[in-house]
Amino acid sequence: MSKAVDPDAVLEVRGLTFGYEREAVLRDVNLRVGGDDFLAIIGPNGGGKTTLLRLILGLETPWRGSVHWSRALVPGAIGYVPQFSTFDKNFPVQVRDAVLMGRLGRGGLLGRYGRADYRAVDRVLEQLHLDGIAAMPIAELSGGQLQRALIARALVGDPAILFLDEPTASVDAETRQVLEGVLAELNRRIPVVVITHDITGFASQVKQIACVNRQLFYHGSGKLSHSDLAEAYGCPVELIAHGVPHRILHDHDHQHAHAHE
């Protein structure tokens, strides 16, 4: 990944096109993430949200276009929180040790963990209200607790940018409240990018919105109209706004929806 040309950008995506087999999922996508951005990426199922994230993270290779970063990718520079439903809960590890894995690659001699690593783990466990269950096996966690553990694992490496894929999907009210506070505090230091179907929990924090449906529709003000969303989703959309839109969509059949979203 090469450096971004814009000196104020942490990340630049230029002309990104990608698909599976012969079917394009994303076409000519351009995106810029600044140092204090809080970007919500929304869009219909199959529109390419998660695919775009995988391309940004280098987990897929684009057909055309490129991804550029403003700084060298040192260990821990990119924090990534996957959907917790994709995490194997049967992995035999306690919460504390799972979070400690986020410090891998930062250790000294022989990659061993040091006092700084353990202090960082204790700090983030307390921040995410996990200190009381630090010794609990991952397999015994609720969905909300597991999501917080995955977020803690991403944060403990002190990332320069944080990506979260559906962080509030099927989680409890406590997790939503804790997450809102943590991300607000974090965004004072680094940019945050959230892939989500529902930005209700981030309504007071979102500064930019990108609607992804094969193409990318970017809105730097963090506000969308009915027509904006209808254009991006390709169908009528119900919208309730409290400064920032809340995504309330009926299920829609999109002719080009793809299973790889």
Side-chain angles (χ1 to χ4, degrees):
M1 298 180 182
S2 58
K3 291 185 178 181
V5 173
D6 183 347
D8 297 323
V10 174
L11 165 69
E12 286 184 277
V13 173
R14 303 177 194 153
L16 215 59
T17 297
F18 176 78
Y20 298 96
E21 297 178 354
R22 296 184 178 181
E23 182 180 4
V25 176
L26 295 170
R27 299 189 184 94
D28 196 29
V29 169
N30 297 286
L31 180 65
R32 174 194 178 280
V33 178
D36 63 349
D37 285 3
F38 194 118
L39 171 67
I41 300 179
I42 65 174
N45 288 333
K49 302 186 302 298
T50 296
T51 297
L52 174 58
L53 179 57
R54 290 180 59 82
L55 287 161
I56 289 173
L57 296 174
L59 301 177
E60 302 283 359
T61 302
W63 290 355
R64 294 188 302 276
S66 54
V67 177
H68 303 266
W69 297 88
S70 65
R71 66 196 75 190
L73 293 182
V74 298
I78 300 175
Y80 169 51
V81 182
Q83 297 184 33
F84 76 83
S85 61
T86 66
F87 184 83
D88 183 8
K89 286 190 65 174
N90 295 319
F91 191 66
V93 65
Q94 295 178 346
V95 172
R96 181 184 300 279
D97 293 328
V99 174
L100 186 58
M101 292 177 184
R103 300 288 292 187
L104 285 173
R106 300 178 64 93
L109 183 63
L110 301 179
R112 294 174 180 171
Y113 296 118
R115 290 182 181 179
D117 298 311
Y118 292 108
R119 284 197 297 266
V121 169
D122 289 340
R123 185 168 56 251
V124 77
L125 286 174
E126 182 179 1
Q127 184 182 22
L128 285 156
H129 299 188
L130 295 169
D131 46 324
I133 59 171
M136 185 180 292
I138 286 288
E140 297 180 11
L141 299 185
S142 68
Q145 290 170 335
L146 177 58
Q147 182 66 292
R148 278 183 276 154
L150 294 176
I151 294 169
R153 185 181 64 174
L155 293 184
V156 77
D158 194 22
I161 184 171
L162 180 65
F163 295 89
L164 304 99
D165 193 359
E166 297 290 359
T168 60
S170 303
V171 299
D172 53 85
E174 179 187 4
T175 294
R176 285 175 178 262
Q177 184 177 10
V178 171
L179 180 58
E180 182 178 359
V182 168
L183 294 185
E185 179 182 345
L186 193 67
N187 187 227
R188 297 188 183 102
R189 299 187 287 108
I190 68 171
V192 175
V193 179
V194 176
I195 308 289
T196 183
H197 283 84
D198 179 7
I199 63 173
T200 304
F202 313 109
S204 63
Q205 299 160 270
V206 170
K207 301 173 184 175
Q208 300 84 19
I209 298 175
C211 301
V212 177
N213 187 6
R214 299 297 176 120
Q215 296 176 307
L216 185 143
F217 302 81
Y218 180 79
H219 305 270
S221 67
K223 298 180 180 180
L224 296 177
S225 66
H226 287 276
S227 60
D228 290 330
L229 286 172
E231 179 184 15
Y233 280 85
C235 52
V237 174
E238 294 181 10
L239 184 67
I240 298 177
H242 299 284
V244 175
H246 300 177
R247 182 268 191 188
I248 304 178
L249 293 177
H250 298 299
D251 291 330
H252 298 286
D253 293 326
H254 293 273
Q255 183 178 359
H256 302 292
H258 197 283
H260 285 275
E261 164 60 56

